[in-house]
Amino acid sequence: MTFLPWLALFGCLLFVALLAASEAALAATNRVRLRHLLRAQNSEETGSDLSRESQNFIASVTIAANFPLVAAASLSVWIGLTNFDRTLALAEIVGVAIFSLVFFQIAPRMLVSTKALENPWWARPARALEAILRPFVTFSLFVGRLLLAPLGLLD
């Protein structure tokens, strides 16, 4: 049994954790920032700009989080099926799913949302990721609107 697939799985899960933490931190930061900006300038436009920026960022993070999640799930199934019998493979897959949910989805969100403003370590990698993914996210949102508009599911 080689450890390379396990390392790849762990790498995917770390990437998921960064994205989860970034999303939670942005939500915590923007509530405070929006409140402060609206008090200071009393401007609807400022709130609208911040809201649009947040929506673009959250769309990028949400779409980006699907890739490492799918990769982690695929790796988990592959590791289970190639290294264990069926019963142990199922246990490994379920165990990885629960472990990743608790430690790479829930925990980063909880940790960052309580400390988001004290040390914004998440801001640089999250902003870089958003800039890289912006064209893909814009295209994905455009395709989504094209598919949902005829069904009357959009405003």
Side-chain angles (χ1 to χ4, degrees):
M1 182 164 81
T2 178
F3 289 100
L4 190 59
W6 289 99
L7 288 174
L9 176 62
F10 187 70
C12 287
L13 293 176
L14 284 177
F15 194 58
V16 168
L18 171 68
L19 295 170
S22 298
E23 184 179 351
L26 177 77
T29 303
N30 273 348
R31 279 193 303 267
V32 173
R33 185 174 162 207
L34 181 60
R35 198 174 314 124
H36 173 72
L37 287 174
L38 289 176
R39 280 185 194 148
Q41 298 179 1
N42 198 14
S43 168
E44 292 285 327
E45 187 177 314
T46 303
S48 171
D49 290 345
L50 186 59
S51 176
R52 192 174 319 109
E53 179 184 325
S54 298
Q55 289 174 355
N56 289 338
F57 178 79
I58 289 174
S60 299
V61 167
T62 304
I63 290 171
N66 288 316
F67 296 116
L69 279 172
V70 169
S74 301
L75 280 167
S76 179
V77 169
W78 181 73
I79 289 168
L81 294 176
T82 58
N83 294 307
F84 307 110
D85 66 17
R86 285 185 178 258
T87 305
L88 285 176
L90 181 60
E92 179 266 340
I93 294 165
V94 170
V96 166
I98 292 170
F99 181 80
S100 63
L101 178 66
V102 170
F103 291 102
F104 294 98
Q105 284 282 335
I106 296 170
R109 282 184 169 92
M110 290 176 65
L111 289 172
V112 170
S113 64
T114 58
K115 304 284 186 190
L117 298 176
E118 292 176 20
N119 183 11
W121 60 267
W122 53 272
R124 279 204 175 117
R127 290 292 178 198
L129 179 67
E130 184 209 1
I132 292 167
L133 293 174
R134 188 174 299 135
F136 177 73
V137 170
T138 302
F139 177 74
S140 297
L141 292 172
F142 174 75
V143 170
R145 283 187 200 99
L146 284 178
L147 294 174
L148 296 176
L151 300 174
L153 297 174
L154 298 177
D155 299 40

